Amino acid sequence: MALYVLYEHAAGYAVFSVKEFEEISMLLPQVEQSVTDLSRFNSIVKLVGFSPFKTAVAALENVNAISEGIVPDDLSVFLDSVLPKASKSNKFTLGVADAKLGAALAEALKIQCSHIGAVPEIIRGIRHHFPKLVKGFSDKSAGVAQLGLGHSYSRCKVKFNVHRSDNMIIQSIALLDQLDKDINTFSMRIREWYSYHFPELVKIVPDNYLFAKVAHFVKDRKSLSQESLEGLEEIVMDSEKAQAIIDASKMSMGMDISVIDLLNIEMFAKRVVNLSEYRHQLSEYLHSKMTNVAPNLQSLIGDQVGARLISKAGSLTNLAKYPASTVQILGAEKALFRALKTKSNTPKYGLLFNSSFIGRANAKNKGRISRFLANKCSIASRIDCFTEAPNSVFGEALKQQVEDRLKFYESGEAPRKNEEVMKEAIEVSAQLNASQMSAKKKKKKKDKKRKLEAEEEDANGNAADETLNDTANGNGTLVEEDPEATGEPKKKKKKKKNKVAEE
C-alpha cells in the first residue's frame, strides 16, 4: 500500500510520496536517525505537488478552517488533482499531522488517513527540510510566511470575541481568587505580628479588614486615650467596641515594642487595607463586566459563580456550546475521572456547588436541583452569547423557575410550565428592546439638535467678531458695513464733486 503525506505550510499545501513504506514502518529508529540527514531523507520522500496560497487572506482562512477540523475548498481541490484515484488495485494511505483533519478528510473525500506509526517522524523531517524540498523556496521566505501567518492567526483568535470582552472576566475572577488567598494570608500575619503588642484586640475586632485598619490607627497602645474614641468609632462603626478597645489598651498584657517594629507593622497594615479596598473595587468591576457580557447568567447564579464557569470553559462561546451535563460537573473533573476509574458514584456538581440554590436544597434534592440549575445555566449562557442586545429578562425568569422548583421539592407546589415562562420573557424582552431603541433614537435626535445649535452659536459668534473687526479699522476710522453681508438692498450713493480737484 502506497503512502502519501500531507504537509500544511504557511506558504501552501504540499503532498509527498513515501517510498518503501512497509520497510520504513518496520525500521522506525533508522527513520528517526535519517530525518536530520537531507541526502538520506531525499531517498525516502519525494515531492508530488505543491499548491501555494494566493493571498495572505486565503492562507488565514485555510488555517482557521483546519484548526476547526474543517476541510477547506482549496485543500480538497488540490488533493483531488494530486492524489491518484482510489481503487481495489491501487490503494493508498494519506498521512496527516492532525487526527481531526484526518477524520474530516476521510469523511469528505473518502480517503484512508493515518496519523500514527512512521507518519509523525516523516512529517518532522519534511518540516525540517521543507525549504530545500520545494524548488524556488528558501529559508528566509519560509520564515517570513510563517511569521506573517502566525501574527494574523493569533490576532484573529484574540479578536474573536472582542465585543463580548469575556477575556476581561476570566482575568478578573482569577485575580479575585488570588487576592482572596493573599489577603487571608496577610491578615493572619498581621494578627500574629500585632498580637505580641496588643493581644486583646483580636477578640474585640475579629474581622480581618477592620483589624488591619484598627492596628494602623492605634499603632502604640499606650498612646490611646479618650480623644481617640471618635476615630475608633468611625473605623469599627460601634461606640461600645471603640470604648472596649480603649479599656483593653490600658490593661493589656502585651509586650512593649520598639519604634522601628511599630513602623513596619504600620506599613504592613496599610498594605493589607489597600489590598482589601482594591479587592472591593475589582468585585465592582467584575459586576459591571458581567452585566455587559452575560447579564442573564449573572441574574441566575451571580457574578462570581458565572465568571468562574466562563473562566473554566475558556470563553462564553465555549460555555454556550457545552451541554447541561458538562456544565453541571464543570470544575469536578478529577472527582469524575476518579469515580469512573473506581466505578463509584460520579459527582453531582462542580462549580455550581457555590450557588445559593444548592445550599438551600435538602440533601436528597441537591443532585436534582444541580441538574435543573445546570440546564438553566446552559440556556442563559446561550442567550447571552448569541443575542445581539442581551438583557437580564431571561435570567430573572430562569431564576424564578429555579425558585419554583425548590418550592416544589419542599412543599409539592407545582411550578409553571417552561413554555409559558419563556413566552412571557420573550414578550417582555421585545418590549424592553423596543423601548431601548426608541430611547436611542430620541437621544440621537437630541444630540443632533444640540450639535446644530452649537454650530449656529459658533457661526453667530464668528460673524459678530468679524463685524467688530471690520468696524474698528485699526486707525479708529469707521468703515461702512457691507449691505450684502446684512442682507439689505444696496442704496445708491450720490457722487460728491471734489472741490479741491475743481480748483
Side-chain angles (χ1 to χ4, degrees):
M1 183 184 286
L3 173 67
Y4 294 88
V5 176
L6 171 66
Y7 179 66
E8 311 99 43
H9 192 266
Y13 298 114
V15 172
F16 295 86
S17 64
V18 182
K19 301 175 184 177
E20 301 173 356
F21 173 59
E22 297 295 335
E23 295 180 8
I24 288 172
S25 61
M26 291 171 64
L27 303 172
L28 191 59
Q30 286 81 346
V31 175
E32 293 175 0
Q33 294 173 4
S34 65
V35 160
T36 54
D37 189 1
L38 179 61
S39 59
R40 294 176 67 183
F41 192 70
N42 268 330
S43 62
I44 300 172
V45 174
K46 183 182 178 183
L47 179 67
V48 176
F50 177 66
S51 173
F53 295 125
K54 295 179 181 178
T55 60
V57 178
L60 181 61
E61 290 175 356
N62 279 267
V63 75
N64 280 329
I66 288 174
S67 66
E68 295 293 330
I70 302 168
V71 181
D73 294 335
D74 296 343
L75 179 59
S76 60
V77 171
F78 172 63
L79 291 177
D80 282 337
S81 61
V82 170
L83 295 176
K85 300 297 180 183
S87 61
K88 291 183 179 180
S89 59
N90 187 16
K91 290 183 179 181
F92 64 89
T93 304
L94 180 65
V96 293
D98 189 9
K100 282 170 45 176
L101 179 63
L105 284 171
E107 185 179 353
L109 303 178
K110 309 300 180 187
I111 299 172
Q112 184 180 352
C113 298
S114 174
H115 63 282
I116 56 175
V119 172
E121 290 300 323
I122 293 169
I123 291 176
R124 186 164 71 90
I126 293 170
R127 189 184 302 113
H128 187 66
H129 302 293
F130 185 73
K132 297 171 185 175
L133 294 173
V134 179
K135 290 183 180 179
F137 210 58
S138 63
D139 292 328
K140 186 177 179 181
S141 58
V144 170
Q146 287 173 341
L147 187 64
L149 184 59
H151 283 177
S152 55
Y153 179 71
S154 302
R155 198 179 300 115
C156 179
K157 284 296 179 186
V158 170
K159 288 185 177 180
F160 178 71
N161 215 8
V162 68
H163 297 295
R164 297 290 182 188
S165 67
D166 51 357
N167 295 324
M168 305 301 148
I169 292 174
I170 294 170
Q171 296 298 328
S172 300
I173 192 63
L175 180 57
L176 202 63
D177 292 339
Q178 188 65 41
L179 276 176
D180 286 336
K181 294 178 184 176
D182 293 344
I183 289 170
N184 286 334
T185 306
F186 293 160
S187 299
M188 292 301 296
R189 184 63 52 213
I190 194 69
R191 279 165 174 267
E192 292 178 10
W193 199 356
Y194 193 65
S195 292
Y196 287 118
H197 177 61
F198 194 178
E200 292 82 6
L201 187 62
V202 176
K203 293 181 180 179
I204 301 170
V205 186
D207 185 71
N208 293 333
Y209 174 64
L210 290 179
F211 184 89
K213 288 192 79 171
V214 171
H216 181 263
F217 176 79
V218 172
K219 298 166 190 171
D220 191 356
R221 72 170 191 274
K222 293 180 181 178
S223 63
L224 276 180
S225 61
Q226 287 298 125
E227 296 176 359
S228 308
L229 186 62
E230 292 183 5
L232 285 172
E233 282 182 5
E234 288 180 4
I235 294 172
V236 298
M237 303 298 291
D238 191 350
S239 58
E240 293 181 0
K241 277 189 179 181
Q243 188 61 47
I245 292 169
I246 293 173
D247 295 340
S249 67
K250 295 174 182 177
M251 304 166 59
S252 178
M253 299 293 291
M255 59 178 273
D256 293 334
I257 197 166
S258 64
V259 178
I260 188 68
D261 293 334
L262 273 177
L263 184 63
N264 279 283
I265 291 172
E266 180 189 353
M267 291 170 62
F268 187 56
K270 182 73 183 230
R271 184 65 58 87
V272 174
V273 170
N274 290 338
L275 274 177
S276 301
E277 290 173 354
Y278 174 65
R279 196 254 178 218
H280 180 66
Q281 294 174 6
L282 188 65
S283 63
E284 291 179 352
Y285 168 75
L286 179 65
H287 176 75
S288 64
K289 280 293 176 184
M290 285 293 291
T291 305
N292 295 331
V293 176
N296 294 297
L297 194 63
Q298 178 202 27
S299 300
L300 180 58
I301 55 171
D303 297 326
Q304 295 196 14
V305 181
R308 285 192 179 94
L309 285 175
I310 293 172
S311 176
K312 191 68 179 176
S315 68
L316 182 62
T317 309
N318 290 348
L319 182 63
K321 291 177 181 178
Y322 283 168
S325 57
T326 305
V327 175
Q328 182 182 350
I329 58 169
L330 205 62
E333 289 83 7
K334 288 184 179 179
L336 174 66
F337 293 130
R338 185 170 61 247
L340 293 174
K341 188 176 181 181
T342 58
K343 295 182 180 179
S344 58
N345 293 331
T346 55
K348 297 175 183 177
Y349 28 67
L351 292 170
L352 290 179
F353 181 75
N354 298 317
S355 175
S356 61
F357 298 114
I358 307 293
R360 287 161 53 191
N362 296 329
K364 63 178 182 179
N365 295 326
K366 285 185 184 293
R368 295 177 182 177
I369 201 66
S370 67
R371 186 164 58 249
F372 188 79
L373 182 60
N375 187 9
K376 299 306 174 187
C377 287
S378 181
I379 294 171
S381 61
R382 288 167 189 173
I383 293 170
D384 288 330
C385 183
F386 301 111
T387 307
E388 293 180 0
N391 50 54
S392 60
V393 173
F394 289 98
E396 291 168 0
L398 294 170
K399 184 178 180 181
Q400 188 59 44
Q401 279 190 296
V402 181
E403 295 279 359
D404 294 342
R405 185 54 62 103
L406 273 173
K407 289 180 185 177
F408 171 69
Y409 289 146
E410 291 173 2
S411 61
E413 183 182 348
R416 297 172 61 195
K417 290 184 178 180
N418 187 42
E419 188 177 357
E420 296 176 5
V421 176
M422 287 295 107
K423 279 183 179 179
E424 286 184 7
I426 289 169
E427 291 174 1
V428 174
S429 179
Q431 292 175 3
L432 186 62
N433 288 335
S435 62
Q436 286 177 354
M437 289 294 291
S438 62
K440 283 181 181 179
K441 286 180 181 178
K442 286 179 182 178
K443 189 179 179 182
K444 281 183 181 179
K445 285 181 181 179
K446 285 182 180 179
D447 293 342
K448 194 174 181 181
K449 192 176 180 181
R450 286 174 187 170
K451 194 175 180 181
L452 289 172
E453 287 176 357
E455 288 176 356
E456 286 176 3
E457 286 177 3
D458 291 340
N460 292 334
N462 293 334
D465 292 340
E466 287 176 2
T467 52
L468 285 171
N469 292 332
D470 291 341
T471 50
N473 196 19
N475 297 326
T477 57
L478 295 175
V479 181
E480 292 182 357
E481 291 182 356
D482 189 4
E484 290 182 0
T486 56
E488 297 176 358
K490 270 188 176 182
K491 294 181 181 178
K492 292 183 180 179
K493 296 179 181 180
K494 294 180 180 179
K495 292 182 180 180
K496 293 181 180 181
K497 294 181 181 179
N498 195 349
K499 295 179 181 181
V500 180
E502 287 177 0
E503 288 172 2

